[in-house]
Amino acid sequence: MKKVLLAGAIAMAFTGLRAQQIGEFLSIEPQAQTQRVVMPSSHAFQVLIQTGIILPDLSVAQVFPDFTGFVPKNGSSTSGYLCINHEVVPGGVTVLEIELNPATQTWDILSSKNVNFLLLGGSGFNCSGGTTPWGTSITSEETYDQFPDLNQDGYVDLGWNTEIDPVSGTVVDQDGDGQPDKLWKLGRLKHENVVVHPDRIRVYQGADDGGFGYLYKFVADQPEKLGAGKLFVLVMDSANGDNFSATGRWVQLQNDTPEQCNTVQTQAANVNATNFRRIEDVEVGPDGKIYFAATSPGNIYRLEDTGEGVAAFETYAARGEYLINHANGSTPYLFEKCDNLVFDCDGNLWVTEDGEKFHVWVIGASHSTSNPNIRLFMGTPTSTPEPTGNISGAEPTGITFTPDCKYGFMSMQRCGLLNTAVQQDAAGQNIIFNRDATLVFSRSEFLGNSTGVFETSKLAPARLAPNPASTYTEVHFESTAGQELTLSIHDQLGRQVADIPFTSVQGKNTIKIDTFLFPAGVYGVTIRSGESLIHQAKLSINP
């Protein structure tokens, strides 16, 4: 065992470097699903609700949670509304008013409400959606079945996007007649999600349909008003299977009357719109390009919108095996069935996976097809066995972030009814993932007061003793080999206050840290090899 003495040096090494971001982690090791959430030891999660619990308004948390759209209060990253879709019929949207408790570093639910869709003929198959720059949420109905027009307003009842005011928990009136409206002008199709461009005029959406997987653009007549505007569908200049030309054009569709809005899909087929086979998410990237996931081919595409057409169309991330570097080595692993997408503040693209494995992936901002940067962030718990006897994972759905990207929100559908394993979350709750769940995740120094240890590695996590400390503590950890490492310490605000390089030995290592000059509080201690996180723990220092 090697003991490294850093006495005094660490205590004085305050630097003011940037805090570690939510997209900084070492990949988990690819593995079959267990009954627990698996994520890097650098991160923690807190379960907010599970199906069947009683919410503050005395309603019961619904099944099949999908999109979890965080709408901040006045731009806050610690207070806002979480709009949760329910992908079932009858479906709906649950709105939670949530707030970060600074004393416990956990999220509290202050109030809840369920959106009323009765005047619109109901709502159902509420899948993903989007949030708007002006503080509303949009829920997307993933269906094109032949539903009736029960309220006799001329529009088929289901198969639309709907804008919701989370503060009141009501559907937005789009035409000023005092009655709620769905977003008729965006057309009826098998919606998965929707994204509003930062210009507050353009809206992009795709159809999660194998036979009619078209990409659409809506251009509003007025900023922030989605009740009137022009609708277009993309026609590529050439397409051969899953190979497409670099250019295409937007073809306008008719959306003036209820009948035209009802038949957008037929209109798109008649103009030979390009079928991308199940578009499950569209996002605007930090580079201004439009990104979308096509689940059946398993590819993520991107393009430049030139106004009347598109240019620079290309495959951004293709289905295939990628080398996953984790604590125990490197493993080739198949990236496929890309589903929901979201960018964090550093330009990393988070991808939930459909299909069988149901992982969460992160594509780094530096990624390119010639130099891939794809990591594995999370594995979901097992689902209930299917009639075939197969057991796969619960489906991760609808990730969104707070404005500062310190916290992410997501849900999981179809958690296994037979699961019995108990896992403690960052709030100290003993969780059994045998019901659908909605959770918040973050780097563990920002969430809860536990170490956030999860099933991530065959190596034991770093251990600090004494902890809490007053004059000193020792960091005990194992290393797979002698290597150049860096020990870092950061405070509760995420400010890095020490950054000390050292050389480990294979096996057990101990690092002594003098803490008597540190202000009392909670600190994060990390050990890294280059950019890869090896170990992390929390340190409490008493006065």
Side-chain angles (χ1 to χ4, degrees):
M1 179 178 73
K2 179 176 183 178
K3 177 170 286 191
V4 182
L5 299 178
L6 304 178
I10 289 181
M12 299 300 294
F14 290 83
T15 62
L17 300 176
R18 75 189 273 277
Q20 291 175 307
Q21 307 300 302
I22 198 166
E24 296 183 35
F25 62 90
L26 177 65
S27 291
I28 62 171
E29 184 172 357
Q31 58 185 284
Q33 260 77 12
T34 69
Q35 293 188 15
R36 299 174 173 86
V37 165
V38 179
M39 64 171 55
S41 58
S42 54
H43 287 63
F45 70 84
Q46 175 195 349
V47 172
L48 296 174
I49 62 173
Q50 286 185 285
T51 293
I53 72 165
I54 305 300
L55 299 175
D57 66 343
L58 301 183
S59 66
V60 178
Q62 299 180 54
V63 297
F64 289 96
D66 201 293
F67 181 62
T68 50
F70 181 78
V71 180
K73 293 181 180 179
N74 300 316
S76 172
S77 290
T78 59
S79 180
Y81 300 92
L82 195 65
C83 299
I84 305 170
N85 291 347
H86 299 282
E87 194 180 9
V88 67
V89 172
V93 177
T94 300
V95 180
L96 304 179
E97 183 184 11
I98 59 175
E99 184 175 82
L100 182 68
N101 185 326
T104 62
Q105 291 195 114
T106 57
W107 287 81
D108 296 331
I109 300 175
L110 305 181
S111 68
S112 62
K113 56 181 74 75
N114 287 286
V115 179
N116 189 334
F117 294 92
L118 289 179
L119 293 178
L120 295 163
S123 189
F125 295 110
N126 300 82
C127 192
S128 188
T131 56
T132 69
W134 54 90
T136 59
S137 181
I138 298 177
T139 181
S140 300
E141 295 173 335
E142 188 192 356
T143 181
Y144 199 73
D145 293 341
Q146 295 304 306
F147 289 96
D149 177 15
L150 294 178
N151 61 353
Q152 298 183 346
D153 61 359
Y155 299 99
V156 178
D157 288 335
L158 302 185
W160 308 91
N161 286 315
T162 306
E163 185 179 7
I164 295 166
D165 174 10
V167 179
S168 62
T170 60
V171 176
V172 174
D173 172 14
Q174 299 293 339
D175 57 13
D177 66 355
Q179 299 296 321
D181 302 285
K182 294 188 178 182
L183 296 176
W184 314 121
K185 302 303 181 181
L186 273 67
R188 181 174 185 263
L189 50 111
K190 196 173 183 181
H191 296 276
E192 171 85 6
N193 95 304
V194 63
V195 61
V196 180
H197 193 277
D199 65 12
R200 303 180 180 227
I201 293 178
R202 283 178 285 168
V203 179
Y204 298 90
Q205 57 187 351
D208 184 9
D209 195 310
F212 304 91
Y214 307 138
L215 181 66
Y216 299 85
K217 176 174 73 168
F218 176 80
V219 181
D221 291 344
Q222 301 179 56
E224 303 184 10
K225 304 293 184 182
L226 305 182
K230 296 179 176 63
L231 184 64
F232 303 84
V233 69
L234 181 60
V235 180
M236 299 303 294
D237 290 339
S238 66
N240 181 15
D242 294 323
N243 297 312
F244 306 99
S245 57
T247 56
R249 56 195 172 91
W250 295 108
V251 177
Q252 185 173 354
L253 305 176
Q254 299 302 309
N255 64 342
D256 296 322
T257 68
E259 180 60 22
Q260 290 172 345
C261 295
N262 287 336
T263 59
V264 159
Q265 177 175 285
T266 301
Q267 294 183 56
N270 289 341
V271 299
N272 296 317
T274 302
N275 177 19
F276 294 101
R277 298 196 294 138
R278 295 188 61 196
I279 297 177
E280 296 214 50
D281 206 306
V282 189
E283 297 293 334
V284 180
D287 55 3
K289 295 182 179 181
I290 310 304
Y291 293 70
F292 66 94
T295 299
S296 288
N299 298 331
I300 299 173
Y301 302 108
R302 69 177 175 183
L303 56 87
E304 295 178 4
D305 184 357
T306 61
E308 294 185 356
V310 302
F313 185 99
E314 62 181 341
T315 300
Y316 176 65
R319 178 186 182 275
E321 279 197 342
Y322 293 88
L323 193 64
I324 303 301
N325 299 314
H326 50 84
N328 296 312
S330 300
T331 304
Y333 203 53
L334 183 62
F335 171 80
E336 60 176 345
K337 300 293 184 183
C338 46
D339 195 329
N340 296 151
L341 310 175
V342 64
F343 283 95
D344 65 22
C345 300
D346 291 321
N348 302 303
L349 181 60
W350 296 64
V351 185
T352 63
E353 187 176 43
D354 205 337
E356 295 182 357
K357 298 194 298 293
F358 296 114
H359 291 306
V360 176
W361 299 74
V362 175
I363 302 177
S366 65
H367 170 84
S368 66
T369 54
S370 60
N371 187 23
N373 180 358
I374 298 183
R375 292 170 293 151
L376 193 57
F377 176 73
M378 176 181 170
T380 63
T382 49
S383 65
T384 302
E386 301 171 354
T388 59
N390 292 334
I391 299 178
S392 59
E395 182 179 355
T397 57
I399 298 175
T400 55
F401 293 106
T402 53
D404 63 2
C405 294
K406 188 176 288 187
Y407 300 95
F409 300 90
M410 63 175 292
S411 292
M412 295 185 298
Q413 297 182 3
R414 299 189 299 277
C415 293
L417 296 175
L418 304 182
N419 290 347
T420 58
V422 177
Q423 185 174 13
Q424 190 173 88
D425 72 356
Q429 303 174 106
N430 291 322
I431 305 297
I432 299 176
F433 286 105
N434 58 0
R435 297 177 288 169
D436 298 343
T438 297
L439 53 87
V440 55
F441 65 93
S442 178
R443 290 191 59 88
S444 57
E445 60 263 32
F446 304 130
L447 189 62
N449 293 313
S450 66
T451 58
V453 176
F454 303 102
E455 296 182 350
T456 59
S457 171
K458 297 176 183 177
L459 293 176
R463 179 176 62 88
L464 275 62
N467 190 13
S470 56
T471 59
Y472 80 96
T473 191
E474 291 184 336
V475 183
H476 303 271
F477 69 98
E478 293 186 29
S479 181
T480 56
Q483 54 187 318
E484 299 299 318
L485 301 175
T486 300
L487 184 146
S488 299
I489 301 176
H490 39 272
D491 64 16
Q492 286 182 285
L493 296 178
R495 296 174 300 194
Q496 193 171 53
V497 298
D499 194 46
I500 306 299
F502 68 98
T503 303
S504 71
V505 297
Q506 183 175 3
K508 295 182 178 180
N509 290 257
T510 299
I511 299 175
K512 183 179 179 182
I513 304 173
D514 286 343
T515 60
F516 58 88
L517 292 180
F518 278 91
V522 178
Y523 295 81
V525 178
T526 61
I527 298 174
R528 307 177 73 87
S529 174
E531 294 299 316
S532 299
L533 182 68
I534 305 298
H535 289 288
Q536 175 161 317
K538 279 193 176 181
L539 170 64
S540 296
I541 299 178
N542 292 333

